[in-house]
């Protein structure tokens, strides 16, 4: 999508793998934080063990399908937190 918008396409990675490899060399980390579908709650620190929203009691994970009882639950929504201090 970035290639479609940018007028100068020289030097931009064409695949997501190439972009990740380029950024990983910089040593900049991204933290994944689970969040509620509506966006008004983050499952962070003390809320990490919750399996449903505190306010509306909607589930944090997708409903399990038949035959996948021993696999990890699938998150409904997740966000990426990019700490600012290492980038300065």
């Amino acid at each position: 999508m970035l290639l479609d918008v940018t007028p100068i396409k020289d030097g931009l990675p064409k695949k997501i793998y190439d972009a990740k490899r380029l950024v990983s060399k910089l040593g900049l980390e991204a933290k994944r934080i689970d969040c509620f579908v509506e966006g008004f709650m983050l499952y962070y620190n003390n809320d990490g063990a919750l399996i449903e929203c505190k306010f509306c009691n909607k589930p944090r994970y997708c409903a399990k399908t038949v035959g996948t009882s021993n696999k990890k639950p699938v998150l409904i929504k997740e966000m990426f937190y990019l700490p600012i201090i290492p980038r300065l």
Side-chain angles (χ1 to χ4, degrees):
M1 194 166 73
L2 185 63
L3 289 172
D4 296 336
V5 187
T6 309
I8 302 171
K9 296 174 181 23
D10 296 336
L12 287 177
K14 295 187 179 11
K15 297 181 181 177
I16 191 78
Y17 173 76
D18 296 334
K20 285 183 179 181
R21 190 176 50 153
L22 185 68
V23 171
S24 70
K25 291 178 184 176
L26 297 174
L28 303 175
E29 65 180 49
K31 295 181 182 179
R32 291 177 149 182
I33 300 175
D34 307 342
C35 59
F36 183 62
V37 177
E38 304 297 326
F40 58 80
M41 180 179 169
L42 299 177
Y43 298 100
Y44 192 68
N45 289 340
N46 297 334
D47 299 329
L50 294 176
I51 57 171
E52 57 187 26
C53 180
K54 284 190 219 179
F55 308 106
C56 65
N57 296 328
K58 288 187 181 178
R60 176 181 183 177
Y61 302 104
C62 293
K64 292 182 180 179
T65 57
V66 177
T68 61
S69 61
N70 59 356
K71 292 186 179 180
K72 288 177 71 173
V74 178
L75 292 168
I76 293 177
K77 190 172 182 181
E78 188 175 42
M79 67 172 259
F80 290 94
Y81 169 65
L82 306 170
I84 189 73
I85 299 298
R87 284 161 172 71
L88 296 177

